[in-house]
Amino acid sequence: MKSRSIEKIFAPPAPHMVGDGFRVHNFFPNQEINKKRMSPFFLMDYGSKIEFSPSKEPRGVGVHPHAGFETVTIAYHGKVAHHDSAGNSGVIGEGDVQWMTAGSGLLHKEYHEKEFSKNGGLFQMVQLWVNLPAKDKRTKPKYQEIAQNMMGKYKLKDKKSIVEIIAGEYNGVKGPAFTFTPIQMYNARIKKGDSLDFNFPASFNTGFLIVEGNAIINDTIAPLDHFVLFKNEEGTIHVTANEDAAILILSGEPIDEPIAAYGPFLMNKWDEIEQAIHDVNTGKFGVLE
Ligand code: MN
């Protein structure tokens, strides 16, 4: 059985703060993994484990717009709250995912949930920006709140290892997320010594983020907090947990269209960026204090 080769394993880049609540390592886009290399995934900010002290005022990031793509927030530890200019709000807790389609545009705020903030504690999360194809860029904003208990569950026979399917399908088990383009997104929670195989089309851009423990991928050790980028070729990815491990698994069909990216906007052409900025300034994304 041919294996799908690793292109490169990336150590976490130096972190930066997004607002005062999110300390993130930006794995892409950057000089090494350009804005098309992981398409349809455009951006990945990884908040590795950090202990927040108690705070009366929830830490977070203030009002900002998004348009032309989706944000997918996965909480591994701690709780994240949000609210937006259309009056939507919600909280995601440990193991949960919020899939927000910004589409034609909205304003929102993201911050630590009130109780979590008051008590402080361990925080670990991922935020992905998933691009939308040109025909869906102006789709109406919407949310998919995907609690851990709604995810598809593939259990390894007689073992405690489990693959939670957020989007797509693994060994016949489907995930609940609606996606605009073909996407596979799983959390593989693998017990020490257990092995799992993954197969994706060669054309699908594919990467694994090690969020807990470490794993042997094909023959190579992938350490905690590292991102494993695979070559675009046929083959099986063989994963063995070296200790209890959790791995975020991403694979998607590339969107082969021009990208115009500016701040929180992701369009095909620059005049669409200018239009989005104009729309924000003229209140078309609504109002949020
Ligand atoms: Mn945001």
Side-chain angles (χ1 to χ4, degrees):
M1 193 165 51
K2 192 194 174 304
S3 49
R4 184 174 184 145
S5 323
I6 292 171
E7 182 165 305
K8 190 170 175 183
I9 298 181
F10 295 88
H16 67 273
M17 292 301 294
V18 177
D20 64 358
F22 304 96
R23 187 203 60 170
V24 301
H25 311 271
N26 175 252
F27 275 103
F28 57 86
N30 55 37
Q31 282 167 337
E32 288 211 83
I33 303 178
N34 71 31
K35 61 191 178 183
K36 284 202 149 176
R37 180 62 188 87
M38 272 299 290
S39 174
F41 311 101
F42 174 79
L43 173 147
M44 184 167 73
D45 273 348
Y46 170 49
S48 60
K49 282 181 191 171
I50 181 172
E51 192 77 29
F52 278 102
S53 58
S55 168
K56 248 191 218 157
E57 273 306 302
R59 298 179 175 93
V61 52
V63 179
H64 60 279
H66 289 293
F69 64 101
E70 303 181 284
T71 65
V72 178
T73 307
I74 306 166
Y76 289 101
H77 290 284
K79 289 184 175 180
V80 185
H82 73 96
H83 69 275
D84 77 8
S85 48
N88 300 298
S89 65
V91 173
I92 57 165
E94 287 191 14
D96 300 342
V97 172
Q98 184 210 58
W99 197 300
M100 178 183 88
T101 306
S104 59
L106 51 76
L107 301 175
H108 79 158
K109 281 182 179 181
E110 296 154 277
Y111 44 94
H112 297 182
E113 184 268 341
K114 222 172 158 184
E115 280 302 304
F116 172 80
S117 199
K118 225 166 70 184
N119 299 318
L122 187 62
F123 196 77
Q124 185 188 24
M125 51 77 70
V126 170
Q127 186 167 89
L128 292 157
W129 290 13
V130 178
N131 203 356
L132 289 168
K135 67 176 180 52
D136 297 313
K137 284 235 180 260
R138 299 212 153 259
T139 192
K140 200 168 162 258
K142 69 164 183 180
Y143 292 87
Q144 301 176 75
E145 302 278 352
I146 303 169
Q148 193 172 27
N149 63 16
M150 295 161 61
M151 294 172 188
K153 306 272 189 339
Y154 173 84
K155 287 175 188 159
L156 202 60
K157 236 184 191 164
D158 304 327
K159 306 258 172 94
K160 289 197 174 136
S161 296
I162 188 166
V163 179
E164 299 167 347
I165 300 101
I166 300 163
E169 183 174 343
Y170 180 70
N171 286 349
V173 183
K174 287 191 172 133
F178 168 84
T179 65
F180 288 85
T181 59
I183 286 174
Q184 306 290 327
M185 188 184 296
Y186 326 135
N187 279 318
R189 300 180 187 274
I190 314 175
K191 291 290 171 193
K192 181 177 176 165
D194 278 0
S195 295
L196 287 167
D197 286 341
F198 297 90
N199 282 287
F200 305 107
S203 63
F204 278 36
N205 292 323
T206 299
F208 290 7
L209 177 67
I210 314 297
V211 296
E212 197 72 56
N214 69 71
I216 299 163
I217 297 182
N218 299 333
D219 296 317
T220 307
I221 287 205
L224 178 67
D225 296 338
H226 283 52
F227 180 68
V228 184
L229 178 65
F230 292 91
K231 288 186 182 167
N232 287 77
E233 61 182 27
E234 293 293 336
T236 299
I237 299 167
H238 186 71
V239 182
T240 301
N242 209 20
E243 52 184 278
D244 290 359
I247 306 175
L248 173 62
I249 290 177
L250 303 171
S251 186
E253 183 180 272
I255 298 172
D256 188 19
E257 294 177 359
I259 291 177
Y262 180 78
F265 310 115
L266 195 45
M267 301 298 181
N268 299 108
K269 300 184 213 130
W270 284 105
D271 63 344
E272 293 165 340
I273 296 280
E274 282 165 25
Q275 184 64 48
I277 294 168
H278 178 78
D279 287 351
V280 170
N281 291 338
T282 54
K284 289 216 175 76
F285 284 21
V287 180
L288 188 63
E289 294 280 301

